[in-house]
Amino acid sequence: MIVIKGVPASSGIAIGKAYVLEDEDIVVNRDEIPKEKLRRELRRFKAALDATYRDLDHAEGKVLKTLGREHVKLIDTHRLILSDPLITKDVPRRIMEERVNAEFALSEALEMVNRAFEKIEDEFFRERRHDLFDVGKRLLSHLLKREKRDLTSIDAPAILIARNLLPSDTFTLKETKILGFATDLGGRTSHTALLAQSLQIPAVVGLSDATRRIKNGELLVLDGDHGLVIVTPTAEAIEKYQRAQKETQRETRALETLRGQPATTTDGKRFELAVNLDSPEDIKMIQALKSDGIGLFRTEFLFLNRTAPPGEAEQAKVYSHVIKSLAPLPVVIRAADIGGDRLAHLGLDEPKDEINPFMGLRGIRLLLKYPDLFKTQLRAILRASTHGPVKVLLPMVSSLTELRSARHLFQQAHEELEGEGYEITPKVDLGIMVETPAAALLLDHLLTQADFISIGTNDLIQYLLAVDRVNEHVAHLYDPFHPTVVRVLHQIVETTRRYGKWMSVCGEMTSDPRAVPLLVGLGIDSLSVSPRMFLRVKQIVKYLSAATASQAVIQALSLADSEEIHRLIGQLVQPAGRGMTE
Ligand code: PEP
Ligand code: MG
């Protein structure tokens, strides 16, 4: 038995025989083209381009049917690549100037971009090069008149082993008998990995040399949760994984029964469980969860990857769609939290070289520096507010002055719209994220101006513990059980309660099964959870006693050490089935 370790890309366990996919490397020769035949070469390239566009149209229909509208975006990305000057201008230029065949000109152009991509440090952007190659390969196949590989021809259930899978290969996975896949290349955030997650197919990527070490037909266990491929497993290992597979299936079925059920603790306390929405593409999935609403709608996606800010009408359309889709459930829309690691380039003269961007011009600070940008968003939200209950949330507040200025603009936006004859909801609540230590400690004053609060534990922990949330060197110090975090959260809850205002938590802590009992014990009865963890969090809430959790938190407040708090809170969810305490 050999165990090969890679990167977990999509969870689940598959047990079956290996189907090793031959590498599809295409050899491209350099041919000199005589001057009089160069035009013909250009026409050949143009025909391959057209054929590739037709492929994409065909793939679009297929993706819509099998994967849903949200994945069509990938096809659009491929169309964008096809229309990029790198393909449309650079390749014809190379053909004409270097007098070479179209295949060679194309592969040279792709190689140049590959070198540029390899230098990118950000894994997410580096992984995007696979989309470029995917498109490049399609083009080359047309030029060389080769059939593109078709995974649907694999006719027995198998675990697919490949050097790399292109996103377009993954599109067809649902129509195949493939139980799971493992690749030598790829990272956790590659499109292939993301698609596998959507399709709920177990996958491991980044295995380096699995294609070399695994033979066709060998028995494998693929463990997508831990990023393992076990080759010729022992009878004992197979049995262990079969048990785990059954357990996971049982757990999934158990979670499914929780859809639409109230999140009530064993001692009868009803919790409000909402979800976080990062992009309207997730709306369908969120509707199906039957949650209590959207507790955090992050609107940054509207402002990133573009060179000018979105206009009022464009924004109002997006907000209206989300609000209508959820009505009569409430939606909390957060004003754009641009800055930090979400850098926008909107042509507003934003700073490009901050040494500490997380402490820089971010969230409300940036919005107040560009009041037109801010007011446009506020107007758009107010215009959409007639479609259902909505609240507005301000990010990164750290002083009363900021809150007052924001309220002033909000009021202005309201009056302007009324003056222009728009029908808008008379009172839309304006609340603040509590995610800076300043806001946490000044909360009594802030609550005189804020209608509600949402605790952003992601940032609050980073600022309280001085641990950069995206720095892997200090990731081990990022600790939701740190006594300081527990004390500050407790203080926030007590203060907000005194003011009788609505509060919620929307940071990742709500989606961490270990931390949910702590939040319950702190007396926070509204959580906004990542959709992926929604049912699991509901399961935990339903398992807990609010009174017992509250007693544990009182005890935790006197403890000095994170480990002790962790242990104490951990006892609240034991003994439970597998997964409860993970
Ligand atoms: C938070 O800081 O906890 C939060 C929810 O906001 P974001 O993760 O978008 O910064
Ligand atoms: Mg935040």
Side-chain angles (χ1 to χ4, degrees), residues 309-528:
E312 185 177 311
E314 179 186 340
Q315 291 189 55
K317 198 168 156 208
V318 173
Y319 305 146
S320 302
H321 166 64
V322 171
I323 296 168
K324 273 188 213 160
S325 308
L326 264 286
L329 300 170
V331 177
V332 179
I333 304 183
R334 185 175 72 183
D337 184 3
I338 309 166
D341 60 345
R342 291 184 282 236
L343 293 179
H345 306 283
L346 300 169
L348 298 170
D349 188 28
E350 306 100 314
K352 289 173 189 61
D353 46 9
E354 290 177 297
I355 292 179
N356 282 316
F358 273 120
M359 300 209 190
L361 194 64
R362 177 188 167 189
I364 189 88
R365 303 169 181 183
L366 184 136
L367 294 171
L368 289 174
K369 179 166 178 202
Y370 305 109
D372 289 345
L373 178 89
F374 191 12
K375 213 205 279 174
T376 304
Q377 185 171 29
L378 294 174
R379 283 177 55 107
I381 299 173
L382 285 171
R383 275 173 58 177
S385 68
T386 47
H387 298 296
V390 61
K391 292 184 170 77
V392 178
L393 183 59
L394 303 170
M396 277 294 287
V397 171
S398 61
S399 75
L400 194 57
T401 315
E402 285 168 342
L403 176 52
R404 284 204 178 108
S405 307
R407 200 171 258 298
H408 180 66
L409 278 173
F410 193 49
Q411 189 62 33
Q412 258 184 12
H414 209 288
E415 283 162 11
E416 277 173 19
L417 286 169
E418 270 178 342
E420 291 164 31
Y422 282 100
E423 206 184 294
I424 43 176
T425 313
K427 166 101 177 77
V428 174
D429 278 354
L430 183 67
I432 55 166
M433 291 283 290
V434 177
E435 53 184 346
T436 64
L441 298 179
L442 195 68
L443 197 54
D444 51 343
H445 290 297
L446 292 170
L447 280 170
T448 62
Q449 300 287 315
D451 298 316
F452 69 96
I453 67 157
S454 186
I455 308 173
T457 49
N458 303 342
D459 279 310
L460 187 61
I461 296 171
Q462 112 162 316
Y463 295 125
L464 279 176
L465 304 183
V467 176
D468 183 344
R469 65 191 259 193
V470 296
N471 181 341
E472 79 244 36
H473 302 293
V474 285
H476 61 291
L477 299 174
Y478 190 95
D479 181 7
F481 293 94
H482 192 294
T484 301
V485 175
V486 180
R487 286 179 181 200
V488 170
L489 286 175
H490 175 69
Q491 189 175 329
I492 295 170
V493 174
E494 292 297 301
T495 309
T496 314
R497 207 173 269 152
R498 257 194 291 125
Y499 280 77
K501 301 249 164 121
W502 183 77
M503 75 182 122
S504 166
V505 179
C506 62
E508 273 301 299
M509 217 173 145
T510 60
S511 309
D512 176 350
R514 302 165 315 154
V516 171
L518 178 62
L519 297 174
V520 168
L522 279 162
I524 299 162
D525 47 20
S526 177
L527 307 177
S528 193

Side-chain angles (χ1 to χ4, degrees), residues 212-230:
R212 198 177 52 76
R213 295 172 71 181
I214 299 171
K215 307 271 168 303
N216 237 341
E218 266 178 338
L219 188 63
L220 304 178
V221 169
L222 182 105
D223 178 350
D225 296 295
H226 301 98
L228 301 177
V229 178
I230 304 171

